[in-house]
Amino acid sequence: MEDIRNFCIIAHIDHGKSTLADRLLELTKTLSSRDMEAQVLDNMDLEKEKGITIKSHAIQMEHYKDGKKYILNLIDTPGHVDFSYEVSRSIASCEGALLVVDASQGIQAQTISNLYLAIDHGLEIIPVLNKIDMDSARPDVVCDEVCDLLGCTPEEVFRVSARTGEGVAPILDAIVDRIPCPKGNPDGPLQALVFDSVFNSFRGVIAYFKVVNGSIRTGDKVKFVSTGEDYCADEVGVLKLKLQPTGEISCGNVGYIISGIKSASEVKVGDTITHVENPCDKAIAGFEEVKPMVFAGMYPVDASKFEELRSVLEKFQLNDASFVYEPESSLALGSGFRCGFLGLLHLEIVQERLFREFNMDVITTVPNVSYKVFTTQGEVLEVHNPSGMPAPTLIDHIEEPFIRAQIISKSDFFGAIMKLCLDRRGTLVSQHFITADRVELNYDMPLSEIVFGFYDSLKTISKGYASFDYHITGYRPARLVRLDILLNGEPADALSSLIHEDNAYDFGRKMCVKLKDLIPRQQFDIPIQAAIGAKIIARETVKQVRKDVTAKCYGGDVTRKRKLLEKQKEGKKRMRQIGTVQVPQSAFMAVLKLE
């Protein structure tokens, strides 16, 4: 155990974690030069396209110091606020962390958030200043910021360029010297913490775990504590770039287990694995239950694929433990699932991964957050969906979730950011200048206001400099109304939303204008109306496609033309009564991007 070091890399998005991980893998010769590629741990096409890490990845390296071999288990983590749950799981499996800060951008909101998470778990922090080779780098200024934040000396901060490899080698020695080895009892009963899992269509569920006490060998009879099911460990091994069977995983080490589990629901992230014959007394205190922030309905494009969607979501949930779902049905879209996400980027990534990895095309409804509705009978209902709202006469008051938002930006954009937050019903809690030209703002805001386009607007007005992080603070009373969209007089429940009274008129009008451009023209007029209860607050009309029925008339009496037009008018009226309006998927997506 003295030779094992478990560590993760934490940083804000785009500060170079994955590139630093590449250099560490190169220096320890974990990969041959033939296998090496940029961001080698980001193994999804989607991660490489967007340039972000979505999943945390584990890999084992070997490092020699003073002639002695050390085993380093690296768990690479995402940087985006929507994937903070992945970060919390990685941190729970480690004893130390590399805190990477971009020398040109300085400390960002997510850096601070992840750092506090690591300190709460008692991790040893090694500060690393990256991108010192860039022309815009300010290593001395940013080094002072890091020292103020951590209370360390400038000599303890490593200055590196992950792209060129400059200054990376001493980090490996520092990991061995400064990060403590894992603690545990090698001779005690087996206790292993599951921190991730994937589904393989040939081998079943593969669970990744860290052994806290005891050890595990191939052929052992093991059980998962939360489900109580027994299995035989068909294969155990370590995580190199590919799975490498070793026959035994000792105390303090990280590895994987294949035990022929077919059903995805039998493995839960945060569960404890133990032996059947000599079980441990209690489960390891795993990760906190994930709390989804944004809810949206997912429906199969073809109604007959409902069961297929169910099995796809079950397999997907294995690989993304922060995604939750439950069945629901909608008048317009039939049977589907109500899904919970950590944010809008998470929603977009999930939708894209379902299509790429499982070839599953889904319709996603307008995202919203969950509200607490207090009825006049004294009940408290949790409403995720506008259609679940009771009648207005039965509602006493509604409470909505509030967040504490932390924004760090250049002081040039101070005014524009304050205006954006005030427009989104934010109240300023505190502000302070980190350096002469960097300011930190803390706001209390309703979660529903940041669901729609807040992040994009913030990036636009700050020219990409501002960074944003948030956490839920609780519920507060709010004046909310349910806004319905009527197409041809029929409510389209997939487009309904709960919205603040003051913003309802503006939002309703914008939605009508947007839908007018997106809904294809039919043989009859389609009125698009926004309504609150029985009151229509906005209307647009998609004009009908007309056939020129009078083309064959030339000369003669006007009554001949009128007769043909009247006949057409009757047909249109009948068509309008039985006609249905198809809403394309692009309309649902466009509503999300309404500004």
Side-chain angles (χ1 to χ4, degrees):
M1 279 174 71
E2 287 76 50
D3 306 342
I4 297 173
R5 299 290 183 273
N6 299 319
F7 71 101
C8 59
I9 303 180
I10 53 177
H12 187 76
I13 187 169
D14 199 29
H15 279 203
K17 315 177 275 313
S18 299
T19 313
L20 180 61
D22 289 354
R23 296 295 83 77
L24 295 176
L25 293 174
E26 264 177 13
L27 286 168
T28 54
K29 299 187 169 55
T30 304
L31 298 179
S32 64
S33 54
R34 191 179 63 181
D35 291 335
M36 200 62 209
E37 54 176 310
Q39 279 91 31
V40 68
L41 290 183
D42 292 350
N43 53 14
M44 267 186 242
D45 294 344
L46 205 55
E47 290 180 311
K48 287 196 164 59
E49 280 168 32
K50 289 185 178 281
I52 57 175
T53 305
I54 294 167
K55 283 288 300 167
S56 59
H57 300 276
I59 193 162
Q60 192 176 87
M61 303 179 278
E62 290 169 3
H63 176 57
Y64 291 87
K65 181 174 186 284
D66 305 333
K68 188 178 177 187
K69 184 171 91 167
Y70 291 91
I71 290 172
L72 312 181
N73 288 311
L74 159 66
I75 301 176
D76 182 30
T77 62
H80 196 280
V81 59
D82 278 12
F83 304 111
S84 53
Y85 187 64
E86 292 281 333
V87 180
S88 75
R89 287 161 39 192
S90 304
I91 285 174
S93 330
C94 295
E95 283 80 39
L98 300 183
L99 179 75
V100 179
V101 179
D102 186 330
S104 59
Q105 292 185 46
I107 285 168
Q108 305 279 312
Q110 198 59 33
T111 316
I112 296 175
S113 164
N114 288 344
L115 173 67
Y116 288 160
L117 202 61
I119 289 172
D120 286 347
H121 279 79
L123 267 61
E124 180 64 38
I125 308 292
I126 299 178
V128 178
L129 209 58
N130 191 15
K131 304 192 187 181
I132 56 166
D133 59 318
M134 288 178 69
D135 297 338
S136 58
R138 300 168 295 132
D140 296 334
V141 177
V142 178
C143 183
D144 289 344
E145 282 183 31
V146 174
C147 293
D148 287 348
L149 183 68
L150 288 174
C152 60
T153 60
E155 292 73 44
E156 291 176 75
V157 180
F158 289 88
R159 299 186 179 198
V160 308
S161 164
R163 189 164 58 101
T164 61
E166 180 191 341
V168 178
I171 293 178
L172 288 164
D173 289 344
I175 290 168
V176 171
D177 295 339
R178 286 162 62 176
I179 291 177
C181 61
K183 295 176 177 55
N185 178 4
D187 306 319
L190 172 68
Q191 245 189 340
L193 176 71
V194 178
F195 66 85
D196 204 355
S197 54
V198 291
F199 187 83
N200 181 310
S201 45
F202 301 106
R203 315 286 309 263
V205 177
I206 303 172
Y208 299 161
F209 60 86
K210 177 195 173 188
V211 180
V212 178
N213 291 312
S215 63
I216 183 171
R217 293 176 185 80
T218 305
D220 283 357
K221 288 270 185 291
V222 296
K223 73 170 180 178
F224 286 76
V225 174
S226 75
T227 57
E229 298 283 336
D230 300 358
Y231 304 99
C232 174
D234 298 336
E235 184 182 305
V236 295
V238 295
L239 302 150
K240 292 290 176 86
L241 194 59
K242 295 186 170 64
L243 303 179
Q244 197 170 316
T246 55
E248 180 180 6
I249 301 290
S250 60
C251 185
N253 214 338
V254 173
Y256 71 91
I257 178 170
I258 299 176
S259 51
I261 301 172
K262 297 286 184 288
S263 166
S265 58
E266 291 173 38
V267 176
K268 289 186 172 57
V269 168
D271 199 354
T272 303
I273 304 176
T274 187
H275 281 132
V276 175
E277 270 123 42
N278 181 16
C280 55
D281 309 334
K282 61 179 193 304
I284 303 165
F287 318 109
E288 72 283 2
E289 274 295 302
V290 61
K291 297 183 190 69
M293 299 301 152
V294 176
F295 294 88
M298 278 195 172
Y299 296 87
V301 174
D302 177 1
S304 62
K305 291 196 172 173
F306 173 72
E307 283 304 324
E308 193 183 322
L309 179 61
R310 185 198 294 275
S311 70
V312 162
L313 291 181
E314 196 174 274
K315 287 173 190 163
F316 181 80
Q317 195 179 30
L318 263 184
N319 199 238
D320 185 348
S322 54
F323 169 75
V324 295
Y325 66 95
E326 58 185 34
E328 72 162 5
S329 62
S330 143
L331 291 172
L333 300 167
S335 296
F337 294 92
R338 179 114 205 110
C339 304
F341 308 91
L342 295 182
L344 272 193
L345 177 71
H346 189 203
L347 183 150
E348 198 179 308
I349 295 291
V350 167
Q351 198 171 351
E352 188 67 28
R353 283 184 67 191
L354 287 177
F355 182 64
R356 290 188 184 200
E357 293 171 28
F358 300 98
N359 200 16
M360 192 80 218
D361 211 355
V362 291
I363 292 174
T364 313
T365 63
V366 180
N368 48 44
V369 301
S370 62
Y371 299 93
K372 284 184 178 167
V373 178
F374 293 80
T375 63
T376 46
Q377 276 90 30
E379 293 175 308
V380 181
L381 307 174
E382 195 158 291
V383 174
H384 304 310
N385 199 340
S387 59
M389 281 283 272
T393 49
L394 301 174
I395 297 172
D396 180 49
H397 69 280
I398 302 173
E399 289 187 355
E400 64 176 338
F402 262 67
I403 58 155
R404 172 67 52 86
Q406 180 191 40
I407 298 167
I408 295 179
S409 167
K410 285 192 164 183
S411 45
D412 310 1
F413 312 115
F414 186 69
I417 291 172
M418 286 189 84
K419 182 181 182 307
L420 174 71
C421 293
L422 289 170
D423 289 348
R424 300 291 184 121
R425 299 192 282 138
T427 48
L428 182 64
V429 178
S430 65
Q431 65 181 63
H432 74 269
F433 284 83
I434 302 172
T435 61
D437 66 338
R438 287 169 68 76
V439 64
E440 179 189 324
L441 296 167
N442 286 297
Y443 270 91
D444 275 347
M445 296 171 76
L447 177 62
S448 56
E449 292 289 343
I450 66 159
V451 168
F452 290 100
F454 177 80
Y455 192 67
D456 292 346
S457 306
L458 181 67
K459 285 289 180 197
T460 306
I461 60 175
S462 65
K463 299 184 181 165
Y465 279 109
S467 66
F468 171 67
D469 185 47
Y470 65 87
H471 60 268
I472 293 286
T473 53
Y475 283 77
R476 297 189 193 175
R479 300 193 337 259
L480 297 169
V481 291
R482 174 177 157 183
L483 182 74
D484 288 315
I485 299 294
L486 309 178
L487 299 175
N488 199 12
E490 293 291 319
D493 59 349
L495 294 169
S496 299
S497 53
L498 289 171
I499 193 158
H500 196 263
E501 230 172 63
D502 301 346
N503 306 340
Y505 171 72
D506 260 359
F507 186 70
R509 198 171 51 77
K510 282 178 185 164
M511 266 181 80
C512 289
V513 171
K514 194 83 178 171
L515 287 170
K516 182 186 174 185
D517 298 338
L518 293 165
I519 290 177
R521 289 169 70 186
Q522 311 268 4
Q523 295 278 348
F524 53 94
D525 276 355
I526 305 170
I528 303 169
Q529 297 164 307
I532 297 172
K535 184 181 175 190
I536 305 290
I537 57 168
R539 169 180 170 136
E540 292 288 333
T541 309
V542 179
K543 284 292 177 199
Q544 61 193 2
V545 183
R546 295 195 73 126
K547 181 184 172 192
D548 189 358
V549 288
T550 59
K552 62 184 182 185
C553 294
Y554 48 93
D557 190 13
V558 74
T559 51
R560 289 179 63 204
K561 284 188 177 177
R562 186 151 305 138
K563 184 177 160 194
L564 288 167
L565 287 169
E566 287 297 328
K567 190 176 170 190
Q568 185 189 33
K569 194 171 163 188
E570 281 301 312
K572 297 269 187 204
K573 191 172 166 188
R574 196 162 58 246
M575 199 183 280
R576 187 172 160 190
Q577 283 164 0
I578 59 164
T580 54
V581 182
Q582 294 292 322
V583 184
Q585 173 68 8
S586 58
F588 293 112
M589 295 313 291
V591 170
L592 313 189
K593 296 181 172 64
L594 267 187
E595 198 29 71

